[in-house]
Amino acid sequence: MGHRKLTIWKKLGYGIGDISQTTGFTIVSFFFLFYLTDVVGIDPRLAGYVLLFGKVWDAITDPAMGIISDRTASNFGRRRLYMMWGALPYAITFILLWIKPAFITGGLEFIYYTAIFLLHSTALTVVIVPYNALSAELTQDYDERTSLFSYRMVFSILFGLVAAALPPLVKDSQPDRLTGYMLMGLTFSALIFIPMMVTAFTTREKFKAAPNRIRSFRETVSTLWKNVAFRIAALVFLFSWMVLDVVAASMEYYVTYVAQLKPMFPAILGALFISSALCIPLILWLSNTFGKPMTYIIAIAFWMSNLVLLFFIPSKSPGPLFTVAILSGVGVAAIHVIPMALAADVVEVDELITGERREGIYFGILTFMRKVATGVGLFFLGNILAYSGYVANAEQPDSALTAIRIGVSFIPMFLLAVAVWIVSQYPLTQEEHTAMVEELEAGRESSIYV
């Protein structure tokens, strides 16, 4: 059963759900810190703590949601039940992120946005952990999984472009900045709700819950830690997405204050995201030819050679900036496809060790790491801006301009170098994974399948 090919419609049905995740993540990554500091007026250090507190909360809720979905037995399966019921709260809390009630003033702003961000993170967890876990159930074939994630990440990248390039047009359409951001939240909430519902009704799960085999939380964590392949895949995933979030959050500051090309911001993002989408087939071909770890190393090394240029590009130089954006598509595409595909393969390692299908806990931890990447990256970026002398909505001192340049070039390069070294240690080859799947299928009882 693991080697059965997925139809294009099944891949599209699953992939479209990523629009919900990408829309929320991208808009928060690109605009939420800027909104808190330059629109609401919260000190950059406090704004960083808003995001950091949300990630501390996620450390509890994401793994817990993974365990809950693993143990769920319902007519809608282990995953789709939560995707259906969680989509609306996810959309509503997203809207609330961009609303500032008139009575919230002074120190209450920090408390208010911390509370709203915690609610939003919880709603996101209920939806995205089961959605991510579903990917490992749809197919167990090594190359077919890469193909499935390629379909998914085309949606991710294209709607990442939509979620990065179009919100400025919406929010800037209003003379009042608070009204503009509120309109932005309302407009894009539809892209958070509808795609997840489509996936919930167009996919089917393969495995049933097996409550009689479920281990305690302590035993669960212990067996996860023993899975070396997962430890490596998770760290690659963490560092990869931290880079994307740091670059994403830095980009508006960079284009506005360093490059002094703010009107061209949507076009620059468009060049980056379109290039990334066009590079997905290249990443799929490289993966099928050289394997997932080597594909990641090749693509990321190429991207690092481009990122360094951002530190040296003079202001008001659109040509070089567009060139870097286009060339960066290879690295961005690799980050979207490879780390998640590596992580999906380790589920079979776990099943071989424990005899259980526990996609939920694995992808619960990955979802937590995805949020950690956002929270930690934006926390440090907010503090770098604060200590560099950054002043919102003003001409920046040289120290702040240098800090922004570093934030968009050398910091991501360092994180990517760490990720490349980690992925080089990944122990699972395609041949080993294929043999493992065949061994597992031969030993499974038919009752485990839906």
Side-chain angles (χ1 to χ4, degrees), residues 98-164:
W98 312 101
I99 294 177
K100 181 182 180 299
F103 60 86
I104 302 295
T105 58
L108 292 178
E109 294 167 342
F110 170 71
I111 297 173
Y112 170 78
Y113 283 104
T114 298
I116 293 300
F117 192 66
L118 289 175
L119 289 174
H120 177 66
S121 294
T122 303
L124 172 61
T125 292
V126 171
V127 172
I128 297 303
V129 170
Y131 172 74
N132 288 335
L134 182 60
S135 64
E137 292 198 40
L138 294 178
T139 179
Q140 294 174 263
D141 183 86
Y142 185 89
D143 289 330
E144 190 73 356
R145 273 182 176 158
T146 307
S147 177
L148 176 63
F149 283 112
S150 296
Y151 274 78
R152 172 182 171 178
M153 292 310 165
V154 168
F155 283 105
S156 178
I157 292 172
L158 291 179
F159 280 86
L161 168 60
V162 170

Side-chain angles (χ1 to χ4, degrees), residues 412-423:
M413 288 174 61
F414 171 76
L415 296 173
L416 287 173
V418 174
V420 165
W421 177 80
I422 294 172
V423 81

Side-chain angles (χ1 to χ4, degrees), residues 20 47 53 63 73 108 113 222 231 242 264 305 355 372 406 408 429:
S20 298
F53 289 158
L108 292 178
Y113 283 104
S222 176
R231 294 209 306 265
M242 191 179 298
M264 303 183 73
S305 69
V372 165
I406 292 173
V408 82
T429 66

Side-chain angles (χ1 to χ4, degrees), residues 71 87 162 176 188 192 201 225 230 319 324 327 340 383 390 442:
R71 299 182 181 186
V162 170
D176 178 69
F188 287 92
I192 286 178
F201 285 102
W225 182 251
F230 176 70
V324 171
L327 294 177
M340 188 73 82
N383 279 272
Y390 172 81

